[in-house]
Amino acid sequence: MSQISNIATQGLAFQATVLTQAAANIVNARTSVPVGGDGELLGALYAPQNVTGVSVHGGGVQARLVLVNPASRLVYDSTSASGYAAVPNIDIATQLVPPSAWPPAATRRPPACSGSRRTCRAP
């Protein structure tokens, strides 16, 4: 296989891993585990992971799974004895559009508005 085909195949495999992991994180984003009075989790909780790319010698990229730290956050839960439950630390927005795809801050501007009717147009 040529080097170009090899790099392209690795890129496609990397993106497939990114999509698979994002889907797993989104599916498990609303799972929860009650928290005891002493702060201990009263069960097993999904451990979210992100995908990072590692350059491969000769060109291409390889996917590496990295655990999200902290893995969970506390939310109010009236059914729990302590009043709290732990949920995976997953931001749905960044799973759908990773920060690497965001435009630079200088290009994110609100639309320009003018006149009494507040007619707006994109910058």
Side-chain angles (χ1 to χ4, degrees):
M1 192 182 289
S2 74
Q3 184 178 7
I4 293 173
S5 298
N6 203 10
I7 292 170
T9 302
Q10 289 177 11
L12 289 172
F14 173 79
Q15 288 301 323
T17 303
V18 169
L19 289 173
T20 301
Q21 191 55 48
N25 285 343
I26 290 169
V27 165
N28 290 292
R30 299 290 176 236
T31 59
S32 65
V33 172
V35 175
D38 57 354
E40 290 289 319
L41 297 182
L42 303 177
L45 183 64
Y46 174 75
Q49 297 177 337
N50 287 329
V51 180
T52 61
V54 178
S55 294
V56 177
H57 180 69
V61 66
Q62 186 175 18
R64 179 175 292 159
L65 297 176
V66 179
L67 289 173
V68 173
N69 188 14
S72 64
R73 58 188 173 88
L74 294 179
V75 294
Y76 175 73
D77 181 10
S78 62
T79 62
S80 172
S82 68
Y84 293 98
V87 295
N89 188 13
I90 298 169
D91 180 15
I92 300 293
T94 58
Q95 296 298 311
L96 298 174
V97 182
S100 61
W102 298 352
T107 62
R108 293 191 305 252
R109 291 179 288 175
C113 299
S114 62
S116 59
R117 299 180 128 198
R118 304 295 290 170
T119 305
C120 299
R121 61 179 169 71

